[in-house]
Amino acid sequence: MLRQVTPGRYDAYEALLRALATPASGQVWMLLWHGQAGSPDAQYGSMEVDGLGYAPCVTSAQELSASGWNRSYEVVDGLEVARALYPDHYGLWLNPHAPGGGVGIPWPDLRRIAGGLDSRPAGPLRLSEPAIEIPQFYALLAQNAHRTPAVRTLRRAWVQPALGAPYLAIGLDVYDASPPAVDAVRAMMQQSLGAVPDGLPVSTVVMSDEHDPVAMWLRANSRPFYDREAHGAVPSPATAYGYPSAHRG
């Protein structure tokens, strides 16, 4: 699979991710810069490529021997490594000693492995402002959001995955993440989807997710199309869901 991954071959890259996500068969030999396998002071090696951090590993005992690595290592499932690395924005680099330099898996794809490949779009993602005109949907969604006290703002983006159909993403910024609030926001979306044209996929993303690339893009590049506080409906302290009440000077 590594040999099949070349620039533009997203299908081969996706197959590699699925292999890594499979317990037992997705094992990798993690290179330890400090400590021994299983010891509290064990520390993965690190490398930087194009400004992104990666932990190097090899894919078999034979590759370990070919690499010339003379320090400790530990054999772990790719799924376990993905869960350990992505929260610190670290990727995984497979066989850096190989001809061509091996293959790097950036942290957003490790996050996909950790959370389930089919639950998140395949990268790299192309993100932009939506060009499709659906004012009825946006108006209905904003109206329903105004009736849902948990919602602070709504944003939107057009997402084109490397594999699969493009879709409209709605960014949800909420005051409260309690189960009743989540249920209310879910109901808000379901009540609004009737105004979406047939065949247009719509997904949601939580703006507070520090590791979601769509949420990151929305925070940096978009303005809300609904903003409760801009409409003068600042929640009172009794309904502020744990956030400080807003003060206007």
Side-chain angles (χ1 to χ4, degrees), residues 142-175:
Q143 182 180 16
N144 289 333
H146 204 64
R147 297 170 180 165
T148 309
V151 177
R152 184 202 304 265
T153 66
L154 298 174
R155 300 171 189 252
R156 58 197 170 199
W158 186 248
V159 184
Q160 294 180 278
L163 296 173
Y167 63 92
L168 176 67
I170 301 296
L172 303 169
D173 183 16
V174 298
Y175 294 101

Side-chain angles (χ1 to χ4, degrees), residues 202-223:
V202 178
S203 183
T204 57
V205 59
V206 179
M207 293 298 299
S208 60
D209 190 337
E210 297 179 357
H211 303 292
D212 190 290
V214 177
M216 293 168 65
W217 186 91
L218 284 168
R219 286 194 297 268
N221 299 283
S222 73
R223 295 178 61 85

Side-chain angles (χ1 to χ4, degrees), residues 20 24 26-45 55-61 64 67 69-85 92-94:
L20 274 171
Q27 287 183 331
V28 290
W29 280 244
M30 297 300 301
L31 308 182
L32 296 178
W33 187 250
H34 291 296
Q36 304 292 319
S39 66
D41 63 340
Q43 179 181 335
Y44 293 152
C57 71
V58 296
T59 54
S60 67
L64 180 66
S67 72
W69 185 256
N70 58 8
R71 301 191 183 206
S72 295
Y73 63 90
E74 64 177 4
V75 182
V76 293
D77 282 340
L79 182 60
E80 180 182 342
V81 171
R83 290 170 176 164
L85 291 178
L92 185 67
W93 201 282
L94 309 176

